[in-house]
Amino acid sequence: MRLSNHKLSVIFRTSVYCFIIGCHLGYAQNRTAAGEPGSLKYVDPRIGNVGQLLEPTRPTVQQPNQLIRMYPQRKDYLDDQIDNFPLTIVSHRLGQVFSVKPDIMPVDTSRWHKRMPYDHDLEITRPWYYSTYLVDDEIQVEFTPGKKTGIYRFTFPQKAVKNLLFGSYNSGRSDFKFISPTEITGTETYHNDIRVYLYGVFSQGGSTGVIKSGKPVSSNETSGWRSQAFITFTGQESAIVFKYAISYISPEQAKRNFESELKEQSFETIKDAAEKTWDAVINQIEVAGGTEAQKRSFYTALYRCYERMVNISEDNRYYSGFDKKVHESSRPFYTDDWTWDTYLAHHPLRTILNPSLEEDMVNSYVEMYRQGGWMPTFPVLFGDHACMNGFHSSIMILDVYRKGLRNFDVNKAYEGMLKNADEATLIPWRTGPKTKLDDFYHEKGYFPALAEHEKETVIEVDSFEKRQAVAVTLGASFDDWAVAQLAKELGRQQDFERFTKRTLNYKNLWNDDKNMFIPKDDQGNFIDIDPKFDGGMGGRDYYDENNGYTYKWQVQHDIPGLISLMKGKDNFEQELDKLFREGLERSKYAFWAKFPDATGLIGQYSMGNEPSFHIPYLYNFTNSPWKTQKHIRLLLDTWFKDNIFGIPGDEDGGGMSAFVVFSSMGFYPITPGLPVYTIGSPVFQKVTIKLPNGKQFAVLANHCSVKNKYIQQAKFNGQPLNTPWFTHAQLLEGGTLELEMGPKPNKIWGRPAAR
């Protein structure tokens, strides 16, 4: 028998356990109200943990921007079984290393594949602490993260067999070795050629074994493909603590990481330190007013903005997947970023909250360029992960430069931007030298498309991702604008003039008849398509993950030029209205079968995908800025609820969450690369940002409520403000934006005529 009272009611035991730790969210809320400082009590990592159609958020337990990230391996929040627990998630949605799972049955190979049921109401997920109860085996699992280290605590039933099973996730060689009854080392091969190293210590000694030829044998080491090892504890203590460290450099460095972070530390001390770290970053922004639900959505979004990039430096050294070498550096090295998702709001938010951290991240990009030969766009541990399209790291670099962040080699960064723009291929999901398609783009000013059913002739084009001809042309125009603008800042006049011409390439695909960007073939003829639905899966022949209605607005760098294409502000406003009201002309299931990324729909507007973030703010360029206020509130209230469905699309590790943070505060960086913000509709009566320079920026929204969402009048530092704009410099000076809010729109405030 596992428990002497095993035949007593399971309900009774569960109730006792629940009483001890406090049931799930009830625990979190009750405990946080008493013990967690400031706004930490509003963070609920479960928000958005069920995707509408595609990937859910992963509520990682980690310290902000640090290497160790843990999330139990399961499909999503609705999955009531856990496969195992990783020692770290190497990259956002790109894999993990070293699995561990507790078990109470005699060891055989099937136990590694046995899923472990848990009870949602007995699970606790805080940014710095995780706990779950495995109901079948009656095991409590707890975890808390260090920076390069972590601690698991497994509490087994009294008199039960106590096993820990170790495995690997990735193909390639792996090994485990118990170097003593209380120590384990391991190696796993990540992404074919990256060796990840483990050093760990158990709180008590055990009997060790491995799987060989499909059977458990007594041994202290194993190696091969997907190695499996186990340790069995026979002592009287029911709680087994496993402390470990990870290294991307060497087994010796893994042990050094352990000794520097964990050797003298307990589970509670690491947990308390991690909580204090989260307290500092979460409470950097203070809010007053708003509903409890709005606070939960806001602070949880802020928490997700710290999932990545991650610092992989170890004692002033780091492994780089860009040249497969270990480098010496006194500056931290960051990786794991997808700039197609993060340049819009995630990086701009960091320039406000932690500019020195953003400088270190941009410096890491520059070092990646030195090592790999191209300025990366999706840097991860193994190098530049060729995804999506465009070189939006160029926009990110321009943005930080114009906001006064200069602690990186700007000239080297510009060199990388220039090389990408002139010599790299624009073909989606590809890196490397340009092809004949790119030569065509540079000569003709647009990326050529194929007619429907026309066979692809360029071997470099991915068979699934296709050419994305319109999306590539629009994205390259924005990227080239960033090159031109940084060239101007650096006094490179010839480059400025050359690239300024290229920034207007987007106009080459404008079709007056359809009032939209339409693909052209290599003869310069428009291809007759239905921009709502044509282009294959995700519209990728012509667009990317979204249809022509979304890409109609992808000219953030030249909004006056886009207004001109639409024949003026009035027509521009009418087209925005149409976007939010236009029907699908087919069933939702038919639409989403082709466009699963285009979720969070209001009309043809897709809140669930990054290219749409800036669109509701475009009303601030019309005679009706009040419509920005209306739509922002509707979008936040409709699609960002404080529940497991509370994110309308792929959140991508901070990309969409940064939109929520900015929009909830009441302003947004509509054009990264221009150090200005446009005003929306704050959901709180007061927002205070504690700036790293010791000053504070405040947004006061007097009488703000769910009903009072419209700006009646505004002041900045006590002076009347009649435009929906302010600058980054004004923010850094510690300004105060004061808004008077009301239930009905003031249709005069913010109009261009009032400027």
Side-chain angles (χ1 to χ4, degrees):
M1 294 178 66
R2 287 176 285 176
L3 289 172
S4 59
N5 63 345
H6 181 71
K7 292 185 179 180
L8 294 176
S9 169
V10 172
I11 297 176
F12 173 78
R13 288 201 314 273
T14 303
S15 298
V16 170
Y17 177 81
C18 190
F19 174 79
I20 293 172
I21 69 168
C23 281
H24 193 29
L25 185 58
Y27 157 88
Q29 295 298 342
N30 291 336
R31 178 183 178 278
T32 53
E36 288 179 14
S39 299
L40 281 178
K41 59 181 171 289
Y42 295 115
V43 177
D44 184 356
R46 301 167 304 168
I47 292 175
N49 195 216
V50 178
Q52 291 210 7
L53 290 178
L54 298 177
E55 295 294 324
T57 61
R58 285 162 173 77
T60 54
V61 181
Q62 66 179 105
Q63 293 199 32
N65 301 111
Q66 293 299 334
L67 183 153
I68 295 294
R69 290 173 284 187
M70 196 288 294
Y71 172 64
Q73 295 301 291
R74 63 189 186 213
K75 296 173 185 177
D76 59 21
Y77 183 79
L78 298 180
D79 186 355
D80 74 338
Q81 296 182 98
I82 293 170
D83 293 307
N84 48 52
F85 302 91
L87 297 195
T88 194
I89 295 171
V90 176
S91 180
H92 175 79
R93 284 170 44 187
L94 289 177
Q96 46 278 327
V97 290
F98 300 118
S99 68
V100 63
K101 64 188 302 183
D103 196 56
I104 61 172
M105 301 301 290
V107 175
D108 64 57
T109 55
S110 68
R111 303 308 297 174
W112 271 262
H113 305 289
K114 177 71 168 62
R115 304 197 76 204
M116 301 174 288
Y118 70 100
D119 188 322
H120 293 85
D121 292 328
L122 299 178
E123 185 177 59
I124 303 164
T125 305
R126 311 300 293 132
W128 60 91
Y129 172 74
Y130 173 83
S131 175
T132 193
Y133 185 68
L134 307 177
V135 292
D136 281 5
D137 293 338
E138 300 172 349
I139 300 171
Q140 182 184 357
V141 180
E142 298 171 276
F143 173 82
T144 193
K147 296 177 180 178
K148 309 296 183 292
T149 63
I151 306 180
Y152 279 97
R153 182 162 59 197
F154 304 96
T155 303
F156 292 84
Q158 291 291 337
K159 299 183 180 180
V161 175
K162 299 184 287 290
N163 298 318
L164 292 182
L165 313 181
F166 290 89
S168 55
Y169 293 100
N170 300 276
S171 300
R173 291 191 62 82
S174 60
D175 62 71
F176 291 102
K177 183 176 182 179
F178 296 96
I179 59 176
S180 79
T182 59
E183 295 172 285
I184 187 174
T185 63
T187 307
E188 183 167 354
T189 304
Y190 174 74
H191 199 262
N192 301 320
D193 63 353
I194 298 175
R195 304 287 277 172
V196 184
Y197 304 96
L198 160 70
Y199 174 78
V201 174
F202 307 102
S203 57
Q204 58 182 272
S207 302
T208 63
V210 302
I211 299 297
K212 288 187 178 180
S213 301
K215 296 181 179 181
V217 298
S218 178
S219 177
N220 62 1
E221 62 181 303
T222 184
S223 64
W225 184 81
R226 300 221 177 214
S227 300
Q228 296 171 322
F230 61 92
I231 182 169
T232 301
F233 304 93
T234 57
Q236 295 300 310
E237 180 61 45
S238 61
I240 305 296
V241 177
F242 175 55
K243 301 162 64 174
Y244 67 92
I246 295 293
S247 173
Y248 296 144
I249 295 176
S250 69
E252 295 79 14
Q253 184 63 49
K255 188 171 183 179
R256 283 194 289 270
N257 292 344
F258 181 93
E259 291 174 342
S260 63
E261 280 197 56
L262 283 188
K263 189 174 182 180
E264 304 300 329
Q265 303 297 317
S266 68
F267 188 99
E268 279 69 27
T269 56
I270 293 296
K271 175 170 157 291
D272 289 346
E275 182 178 355
K276 290 178 181 177
T277 302
W278 277 109
D279 171 44
V281 298
I282 293 298
N283 287 296
Q284 187 179 359
I285 304 178
E286 295 179 350
V287 304
T291 67
E292 293 293 291
Q294 288 169 332
K295 290 176 182 176
R296 282 164 46 77
S297 294
F298 174 77
Y299 280 112
T300 303
L302 183 59
Y303 141 78
R304 281 192 297 268
C305 290
Y306 288 91
E307 181 188 345
R308 56 190 185 127
M309 304 171 73
V310 295
N311 178 1
I312 64 169
S313 293
E314 308 173 52
D315 290 341
N316 295 324
R317 296 192 301 161
Y318 65 89
Y319 170 83
S320 173
F322 289 83
D323 62 2
K324 310 300 182 183
K325 295 179 181 178
V326 174
H327 295 264
E328 303 276 346
S329 177
S330 59
R331 292 187 73 170
F333 184 81
Y334 288 85
T335 189
D336 201 17
D337 192 22
W338 301 357
T339 52
W340 192 87
D341 308 283
T342 58
Y343 84 100
L344 294 162
H346 196 179
H347 281 279
L349 180 63
R350 198 179 292 115
T351 64
I352 297 173
L353 299 180
N354 198 332
S356 63
L357 176 62
E358 181 69 12
E359 286 175 318
D360 284 338
M361 291 178 179
V362 173
N363 181 69
S364 299
Y365 269 81
V366 176
E367 293 305 309
M368 294 168 193
Y369 165 63
R370 293 183 198 272
Q371 297 156 10
W374 302 102
M375 184 63 73
T377 57
F378 276 63
V380 294
L381 181 64
F382 55 78
D384 195 11
H385 179 48
C387 279
M388 307 307 291
N389 57 66
F391 305 125
H392 298 333
S393 52
S394 295
I395 303 169
M396 174 193 72
I397 292 167
L398 171 67
D399 191 57
V400 302
Y401 184 86
R402 281 189 158 165
K403 291 174 179 174
L405 279 63
R406 308 291 168 82
N407 189 19
F408 60 96
D409 190 335
V410 177
N411 289 313
K412 197 68 177 179
Y414 177 76
E415 177 188 300
M417 292 164 58
L418 190 65
K419 183 179 179 183
N420 278 19
D422 279 338
E423 302 178 33
T425 184
L426 291 164
I427 295 175
W429 291 70
R430 292 288 184 261
T431 57
K434 61 183 180 177
T435 68
K436 63 181 182 181
L437 286 179
D438 305 288
D439 289 334
F440 184 98
Y441 175 81
H442 294 313
E443 179 183 353
K444 303 294 186 180
Y446 69 92
F447 214 62
L450 299 175
E452 189 177 9
H453 306 308
E454 186 177 355
K455 187 176 180 180
E456 180 59 69
T457 59
V458 179
I459 61 173
E460 291 87 353
V461 174
D462 185 89
S463 60
F464 178 79
E465 294 296 336
K466 306 299 180 65
R467 293 190 181 188
Q468 303 177 15
V470 176
V472 166
T473 301
L474 300 180
S477 299
F478 195 178
D479 297 339
D480 286 344
W481 173 82
V483 176
Q485 293 297 302
L486 189 56
K488 181 180 180 181
E489 297 279 356
L490 299 178
R492 300 172 184 260
Q493 187 63 24
Q494 288 185 339
D495 286 348
F496 169 66
E497 293 175 0
R498 180 164 67 94
F499 278 92
T500 295
K501 295 177 182 177
R502 286 169 53 168
T503 67
L504 301 178
N505 282 345
Y506 72 90
K507 293 185 177 182
N508 293 327
L509 295 184
W510 182 257
N511 185 298
D512 278 325
D513 292 335
K514 293 194 175 182
N515 207 26
M516 200 166 290
F517 293 107
I518 299 296
K520 284 182 178 179
D521 63 22
D522 59 8
Q523 300 302 307
N525 302 311
F526 284 111
I527 299 173
D528 187 22
I529 66 167
D530 173 7
K532 277 188 181 179
F533 203 61
D534 284 349
M537 187 66 179
R540 287 178 172 86
D541 285 321
Y542 313 123
Y543 305 106
D544 184 18
E545 297 188 348
N546 303 268
N547 64 16
Y549 275 79
T550 295
Y551 280 91
K552 183 173 183 171
W553 311 97
Q554 301 308 301
V555 191
Q556 286 158 268
H557 65 288
D558 187 17
I559 295 171
L562 182 61
I563 293 173
S564 178
L565 288 179
M566 296 187 195
K567 306 298 189 292
K569 285 187 301 181
D570 290 342
N571 287 335
F572 185 77
E573 180 180 339
Q574 290 172 16
E575 291 300 313
L576 280 169
D577 290 342
K578 180 180 178 181
L579 172 71
F580 287 98
R581 295 166 179 167
E582 184 74 11
L584 298 179
E585 295 183 350
R586 52 193 48 84
S587 65
K588 288 183 179 179
Y589 69 80
F591 181 83
W592 279 326
K594 183 178 280 190
F595 291 97
D597 296 272
T599 51
L601 289 176
I602 296 180
Q604 285 283 338
Y605 176 81
S606 168
M607 186 70 259
N609 206 245
E610 287 79 4
S612 297
F613 289 176
H614 72 289
I615 295 175
Y617 289 99
L618 292 176
Y619 281 111
N620 282 348
F621 288 85
T622 75
N623 289 323
S624 302
W626 64 270
K627 292 183 180 179
T628 282
Q629 300 153 37
K630 169 189 171 181
H631 284 291
I632 287 298
R633 283 294 195 97
L634 176 64
L635 291 165
L636 289 175
D637 184 59
T638 301
W639 295 119
F640 298 98
K641 297 291 189 181
D642 62 329
N643 59 41
I644 59 174
F645 306 104
I647 294 181
D650 283 357
E651 195 279 336
D652 288 321
M656 193 169 297
S657 289
F659 169 87
V660 176
V661 172
F662 269 121
S663 296
S664 299
M665 292 192 297
F667 60 98
Y668 188 75
I670 191 169
T671 301
L674 291 179
V676 297
Y677 302 98
T678 195
I679 298 170
S681 178
V683 302
F684 304 111
Q685 292 178 9
K686 183 176 182 180
V687 175
T688 304
I689 304 174
K690 303 171 188 175
L691 300 171
N693 62 9
K695 299 179 181 180
Q696 294 184 349
F697 175 74
V699 178
L700 304 179
N702 299 323
H703 311 296
C704 176
S705 67
V706 172
K707 182 178 180 181
N708 293 342
K709 63 188 176 187
Y710 292 109
I711 298 172
Q712 307 300 301
Q713 59 183 5
K715 296 178 182 178
F716 201 98
N717 290 341
Q719 299 300 312
L721 178 69
N722 294 315
T723 71
W725 308 94
F726 62 92
T727 69
H728 185 72
Q730 288 176 302
L731 185 152
L732 290 185
E733 283 300 311
T736 297
L737 172 65
E738 186 173 2
L739 309 172
E740 295 293 330
M741 308 299 291
K744 297 179 181 179
N746 177 349
K747 296 183 179 180
I748 301 300
W749 183 85
R751 292 179 60 172
R755 296 181 185 180

